[in-house]
Amino acid sequence: MDCIFCKIAAGEIPSTKIFEDDQVLAFYDAAPQAPVHFLVIPKKHIGSALEIDANNSNQVAHIFEVIASIARQLDLDNGYRVVTNVGDDGGQTVGHLHFHVLAKRKLAWPPG
Ligand code: AMP
């Protein structure tokens, strides 16, 4: 499958890793939208949040544990935002489930 995030998870494309275990990888976004902007992905391919179901939701739960752990490690105690874009209207550009974590600036709400 020609998926850039599968290739990053497999180490075939380099990334600036923050955390990795057998299930997930966290790495810095190549086009940061905040002073801290990283992505957390399941290593196993899931197309988007629309494909989350009872068979893979344990990976999503684990991703949120990893995000909280990294947030403590990076001192994001002033807050952060977790975003997953889904499909065209959601602004998804990479078809592999990923959670953006943005921090260290005041983020607008609602998003544009
Ligand atoms: P989305 O538009 O929600 O699908 O987000 C995709 C994100 O992946 C964007 O923020 C891109 O900057 C980021 N991205 C794409 N390719 C890479 C890469 N090779 N390394 C790190 N981030 C990437």
Side-chain angles (χ1 to χ4, degrees):
M1 195 188 315
D2 195 26
C3 170
I4 187 171
F5 285 180
C6 283
K7 289 179 179 167
I8 287 176
E12 293 165 13
I13 291 176
S15 65
T16 307
K17 292 178 190 175
I18 304 172
F19 174 85
E20 180 174 20
D21 65 15
D22 58 327
Q23 288 184 67
V24 309
L25 175 66
F27 57 100
Y28 284 105
D29 197 292
Q33 301 302 311
V36 171
H37 183 180
F38 61 90
L39 305 172
V40 189
I41 64 170
K43 288 188 169 178
K44 195 173 164 207
H45 187 85
I46 299 171
S48 78
L50 197 56
E51 294 181 12
I52 296 170
D53 60 22
N55 296 312
N56 58 26
S57 59
N58 59 331
Q59 292 180 61
V60 178
H62 183 55
I63 283 172
F64 274 80
E65 289 178 31
V66 167
I67 289 171
S69 172
I70 294 172
R72 290 189 290 268
Q73 181 190 322
L74 298 182
D75 293 321
L76 306 185
D77 38 296
N78 207 45
Y80 57 93
R81 183 169 296 165
V82 183
V83 176
T84 188
N85 298 322
V86 182
D88 281 349
D89 281 359
Q92 184 177 9
T93 60
V94 176
H96 181 127
L97 178 65
H98 52 283
F99 293 87
H100 297 258
V101 180
L102 302 128
K104 298 286 188 187
R105 73 168 169 85
K106 190 76 180 167
L107 297 160
W109 189 263

